[in-house]
């Protein structure tokens, strides 16, 4: 029940934040009282507003959910990545003995 209450609160807040989407329904309601057009046009526009906000909230929630998913590990296909360069460096000979000098200087 707590989860349903949070959903309803979030949906009502979304309706309030997107109030400008119901401007066509308000205009049609005013036209109903001024010109006498059918009120069902205003009701239909209001229903479309509510359904549109609900779809928007669900799509946005799905995008956030998908953005928070962990990425699947994939094989590294980059020939210039660090893993390959480490193996190539071990095969290079050091004629000047620079690695030995560095080790002696550190001690």
């Amino acid at each position: 029940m707590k989860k349903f209450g949070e959903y309803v609160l979030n949906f009502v807040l979304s309706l309030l934040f997107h109030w400008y989407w119901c401007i066509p329904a308000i205009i049609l309601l005013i036209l109903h009282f001024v010109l006498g057009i059918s009120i069902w046009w205003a009701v239909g526009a209001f229903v479309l507003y509510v359904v549109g906000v609900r779809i928007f909230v669900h799509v946005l929630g799905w995008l956030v959910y998908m953005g928070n998913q962990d990425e699947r590990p994939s094989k590294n296909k980059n020939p210039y990545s660090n893993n390959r360069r480490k193996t190539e460096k071990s095969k290079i000979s050091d004629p000047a003995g620079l690695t030995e000098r560095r080790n002696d200087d550190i001690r």
Side-chain angles (χ1 to χ4, degrees), residues 63-101:
L63 289 174
V64 169
Y65 171 77
M66 293 306 288
N68 290 335
Q69 293 293 319
D70 293 333
E71 292 184 19
R72 295 184 182 125
S74 60
K75 184 177 179 183
N76 187 3
K77 297 180 181 179
N78 185 358
Y80 301 106
S81 67
N82 288 336
N83 292 338
R84 184 170 177 151
R85 297 195 82 180
K86 286 180 185 175
T87 57
E88 288 176 357
K89 285 182 183 177
S90 64
K91 295 178 184 176
I92 298 174
S93 63
D94 188 15
L98 294 175
T99 55
E100 294 174 7
R101 287 188 208 156

Side-chain angles (χ1 to χ4, degrees), residues 14-85:
S14 295
L15 287 174
L16 290 175
F17 287 143
H18 297 96
W19 65 270
Y20 50 89
W21 289 10
C22 74
I23 292 175
I26 294 170
I27 292 172
L28 287 171
L29 186 64
I30 293 170
L31 288 175
H32 164 71
F33 290 115
V34 173
L35 299 178
I37 66 169
S38 177
I39 195 160
W40 290 110
W41 289 102
V43 171
F46 185 76
V47 168
L48 188 64
Y49 154 68
V50 172
V51 170
V53 169
R54 185 167 180 190
I55 290 172
F56 178 76
V57 167
H58 280 290
V59 168
L60 193 63
W62 178 75
L63 289 174
V64 169
Y65 171 77
M66 293 306 288
N68 290 335
Q69 293 293 319
D70 293 333
E71 292 184 19
R72 295 184 182 125
S74 60
K75 184 177 179 183
N76 187 3
K77 297 180 181 179
N78 185 358
Y80 301 106
S81 67
N82 288 336
N83 292 338
R84 184 170 177 151
R85 297 195 82 180

